[in-house]
Amino acid sequence: MMLRHLFLSFVLLTNTSLAQNAELNSSGSFSTYTLLTSTSFVQDAGLNPSGFDSTYKLTLRKPVQDKNFYLLSLFQQNPEIGKLLRRNTALKKLANHEAQALRMAANCSDVGCFDRLFRFSGPTIETVAAELKALSKHPEFKKLVMRELRPSGAFIKYSRQSDSEMLVAAWKDAANGMNRLLSVYCLGKNPFYKDIDRVSFDVSSEEYRKLLKVKMAEIKLSKVPLFFEPTLNFVLKLLEANRRDEAGRYEPLEEGENKACLQDMKNIRWNDYPYSFILVLGSGPQESVRLSPIGAKRVDQAAQLFHKAPLIILSGGHVHPMQTPYCEAIEMKKYLMEKFKIPDKNILIEPHARHTTTNFRNAARLAFRYGIPADLKALVTSSEDHIALVTKEGFRIRCSTELGYFPMESITRISPVAAEFKPSVSSLFFDANDPLDP
């Protein structure tokens, strides 16, 4: 029942509508489609990011945790916020209960026991929400919202809400995200994409219970833990036990794979190009090989279009087959540099996307966070059937169902294998319902 409610939340998040217009391209040889979003959230975010600051630096000290539960990481990192949370009577009581649950879990004989001890109940989530709403009036919490939550963009979905409403909504997202991790990686319930995201073990086996107890023994809490820390630590250990650190791999990108490109970006003369970047949609092989023939062909197409933009963004994570050691974006980058001699300074990788929806979303995130001009359109290339798919209404519906919004302001097909699009700033929102690529 809980998992069904979590899946339904994907649908309930969305309230979008879309206008689809068919038109001939300049040659008149085939139809293209323009997809436009019209939700108040996306429209307002596109025109006014409502506090998002492109110079804000995400604090990814613990990338898997931070990307999934950025609010909770901010709570931990701010000493004054920590004091207020620890002094709150209701939250202190909850923290003691949570710490006791961690001790009791050492005696669990089945995964259901772990779930019962660590899951946040509906009433508990609402109790915390009420306390945070009251605390939001405190100057330290106001500073947290204005200096962290709003400028980070990670909570931009709630940008039109008051400070207290944003804080409460962010907490509920985090709590539901932790509960979802318990459902999938403790109880073994199917995630939205079970073929690639499911638990790696038989959750009913003694082997898995022993593994979880070993991981649990590694948890070290402070003498006075925050109310969420026992559950947070346990669900992170669930991800670790299942080798599900995909969200944190290659971070910080700015200091690794994307460093050369970012250092050179100040030299780009953007007005010399019709597009800001070329996005290549990854194609994960069904077998464990470095790069599929389809993926290689898509990179070939990007190289042919390279004169139209100063940058190429290669998007795709460790996806197919499940637990593959190969990252689509990394392998495409190697291929692009070796075959076409395109230098590192012209390539950005996006190594986390697991689906076409998040190819666009994550590329948009890079664009806004790296300061790529938002007034320029971008170009996307892929297989002919793939481009047809992403420029039709069905893709908008899929994005609305899975993301809660459309990650583009518009997209128009301009050739059999390419479309131009404009990223939406709504893509900055961190989604705790998608723990492998939030």
Side-chain angles (χ1 to χ4, degrees):
M1 182 65 72
M2 175 62 72
L3 188 62
R4 185 179 69 178
H5 289 167
L6 292 174
F7 285 167
L8 285 175
S9 68
F10 279 110
V11 179
L12 294 176
L13 281 171
T14 177
N15 184 28
T16 60
S17 61
L18 176 108
Q20 184 181 51
N21 300 310
E23 59 186 52
L24 290 175
N25 68 3
S26 58
S27 65
S29 59
F30 63 92
S31 295
T32 64
Y33 296 88
T34 300
L35 304 183
L36 302 173
T37 60
S38 60
T39 65
S40 58
F41 161 54
V42 176
Q43 282 183 334
D44 290 350
L47 295 172
N48 180 1
S50 299
F52 167 63
D53 183 352
S54 62
T55 65
Y56 179 91
K57 301 301 181 185
L58 284 171
T59 306
L60 300 181
R61 301 174 187 176
K62 302 176 181 178
V64 174
Q65 173 184 323
D66 298 339
K67 291 171 75 172
N68 274 286
F69 307 109
Y70 198 53
L71 175 72
L72 306 186
S73 292
L74 292 174
F75 283 172
Q76 291 178 323
Q77 294 164 16
N78 189 310
E80 295 304 315
I81 293 293
K83 289 179 182 178
L84 291 169
L85 294 175
R86 289 184 175 93
R87 290 172 182 171
N88 180 278
T89 302
L91 298 183
K92 183 177 180 180
K93 182 178 179 180
L94 177 57
N96 291 335
H97 180 270
E98 285 274 296
Q100 182 181 9
L102 184 61
R103 292 189 291 270
M104 293 173 62
N107 299 316
C108 281
S109 60
D110 61 84
V111 292
C113 172
F114 296 129
D115 180 75
R116 289 188 296 273
L117 287 171
F118 291 110
R119 181 176 294 274
F120 288 105
S121 68
T124 298
I125 293 173
E126 292 301 329
T127 294
V128 174
E131 297 303 320
L132 290 177
K133 184 175 181 180
L135 286 169
S136 69
K137 299 180 176 62
H138 194 283
E140 289 300 325
F141 274 89
K142 288 185 176 294
K143 284 192 286 187
L144 182 76
V145 174
M146 296 307 298
R147 296 180 182 178
E148 302 285 354
L149 270 63
R150 292 191 185 279
S152 73
F155 310 97
I156 198 168
K157 176 181 174 183
Y158 308 116
S159 61
R160 300 181 68 200
Q161 298 186 9
S162 68
D163 290 355
S164 63
E165 290 171 335
M166 174 179 278
L167 189 64
V168 166
W171 153 247
K172 289 184 176 180
D173 281 348
N176 289 326
M178 287 186 279
N179 282 348
R180 185 174 188 276
L181 284 174
L182 287 166
S183 293
V184 176
Y185 297 107
C186 182
L187 298 181
K189 302 294 185 181
N190 281 335
F192 201 77
Y193 285 94
K194 63 180 181 179
D195 291 339
I196 57 174
D197 296 343
R198 68 184 182 276
V199 66
S200 303
F201 299 88
D202 175 0
V203 298
S204 65
S205 68
E206 182 64 22
E207 174 193 10
Y208 193 49
R209 289 193 293 273
K210 288 181 177 179
L211 176 60
L212 293 188
K213 287 187 177 182
V214 168
K215 291 297 180 182
M216 195 165 50
E218 297 172 355
I219 296 174
K220 304 297 181 185
L221 297 177
S222 64
K223 290 183 178 179
V224 187
L226 295 171
F227 68 91
F228 57 82
E229 287 182 326
T231 292
L232 173 63
N233 278 274
F234 182 70
V235 298
L236 291 173
K237 287 298 181 181
L238 287 175
L239 287 175
E240 185 178 301
N242 284 275
R243 303 183 299 280
R244 287 303 193 179
D245 65 335
E246 287 96 332
R249 293 177 190 174
Y250 310 104
E251 295 288 5
L253 285 167
E254 296 77 12
E255 298 300 322
E257 289 289 343
N258 289 345
K259 184 176 182 179
C261 186
L262 288 179
Q263 289 179 336
D264 187 69
M265 200 174 290
K266 62 182 180 295
N267 299 318
I268 295 176
R269 298 170 57 179
W270 298 100
N271 291 333
D272 290 350
Y273 303 90
Y275 299 106
S276 57
F277 63 86
I278 299 166
L279 171 63
V280 184
L281 304 179
S283 175
Q286 295 307 308
E287 300 176 352
S288 189
V289 296
R290 292 185 177 276
L291 184 64
S292 70
I294 295 175
K297 185 176 181 180
R298 294 176 183 180
V299 177
D300 292 342
Q301 292 164 183
Q304 294 170 8
L305 295 168
F306 182 48
H307 63 283
K308 293 182 177 292
L311 303 174
I312 295 176
I313 296 181
L314 305 166
S315 177
H318 293 261
V319 189
H320 300 285
M322 178 172 153
Q323 297 282 18
T324 176
Y326 302 119
C327 174
E328 295 172 22
I330 294 289
E331 298 307 323
M332 288 193 291
K333 179 179 179 179
K334 292 176 182 176
Y335 178 84
L336 184 65
M337 294 181 69
E338 290 171 6
K339 181 174 180 179
F340 297 99
K341 309 305 178 186
I342 294 177
D344 200 18
K345 67 184 181 68
N346 297 109
I347 302 171
L348 291 172
I349 68 159
E350 186 294 293
H352 301 115
R354 305 180 68 74
H355 313 288
T356 304
T357 55
T358 50
N359 284 141
F360 283 100
R361 183 199 69 181
N362 293 357
R365 288 178 176 178
L366 293 187
F368 284 103
R369 295 206 182 280
Y370 291 169
I372 295 174
D375 56 332
L376 290 178
K377 290 183 178 180
L379 197 63
V380 59
T381 186
S382 188
S383 310
E384 186 170 348
D385 59 342
H386 206 188
I387 292 298
L389 181 148
V390 301
T391 52
K392 290 183 179 178
E393 183 177 0
F395 185 62
R396 190 277 307 177
I397 295 172
R398 178 183 169 189
C399 288
S400 298
T401 301
E402 297 181 20
L403 304 178
Y405 57 87
F406 194 51
M408 295 169 279
E409 293 185 4
S410 63
I411 182 168
T412 304
R413 190 175 186 182
I414 61 170
S415 81
V417 295
E420 61 180 23
F421 71 101
K422 196 167 186 181
S424 170
V425 74
S426 58
S427 300
L428 292 168
F429 177 68
F430 276 170
D431 185 3
N433 277 308
D434 189 9
L436 308 189
D437 179 28

